[in-house]
Amino acid sequence: MKISRTVVDANGRLSQESEILTIDVKPGWKKGTKITFPDKGNEQLNQLPADLVFVIDEKPHNLYTRDGNDLIMNHRVSLAEALGGTTVNLTTLDGRNLSVPVTDM
């Protein structure tokens, strides 16, 4: 994430500084998780720099929805597949291919 902030230089003047901060988002982090970068906020004369806080938001996915810690995917099967059994192949968010046998109606 590229940020711009106001800093106090060696002469006591305010100037703009740009910096790139890396946020390593972990799998399973939920909406509302806060990531804090201490002292990376704007600076003012005679004051300590503020903390910079990012709050995680969820982006909708076209295939999966979140239910607590679970990911839900809906997949239609025909009546014949449901009665006779079938296998649903899907790709996970991390790129793995899974084969899920459908044996119960």
Side-chain angles (χ1 to χ4, degrees), residues 56-74:
I56 297 293
D57 195 8
E58 290 180 4
K59 190 170 150 183
H61 194 271
N62 61 352
L63 187 59
Y64 295 100
T65 56
R66 182 192 285 267
D67 181 17
N69 288 330
D70 299 324
L71 292 178
I72 307 295
M73 180 194 118
N74 290 318

Side-chain angles (χ1 to χ4, degrees), residues 27-79:
W29 277 4
K30 295 185 174 90
K31 180 178 183 172
T33 300
K34 293 181 180 181
I35 301 102
T36 303
F37 291 90
D39 302 331
K40 291 294 183 182
N42 289 332
E43 295 180 6
Q44 300 263 339
L45 290 173
N46 302 321
Q47 290 184 358
L48 294 173
D51 292 344
L52 185 62
V53 179
F54 291 93
V55 180
I56 297 293
D57 195 8
E58 290 180 4
K59 190 170 150 183
H61 194 271
N62 61 352
L63 187 59
Y64 295 100
T65 56
R66 182 192 285 267
D67 181 17
N69 288 330
D70 299 324
L71 292 178
I72 307 295
M73 180 194 118
N74 290 318
H75 183 81
R76 286 193 175 274
V77 294
S78 68
L79 179 59

Side-chain angles (χ1 to χ4, degrees), residues 1-2 11 17 19 23 25 30 34 45 48 55 57 63 67-68 71 79-81 86 91 98 101 104:
M1 179 74 73
K2 184 175 182 178
N11 298 323
E17 176 183 87
E19 185 176 355
I23 300 173
V25 178
K30 295 185 174 90
K34 293 181 180 181
L45 290 173
L48 294 173
V55 180
D57 195 8
L63 187 59
D67 181 17
L71 292 178
L79 179 59
E81 290 171 327
T86 189
T91 303
L98 294 181
D104 293 336

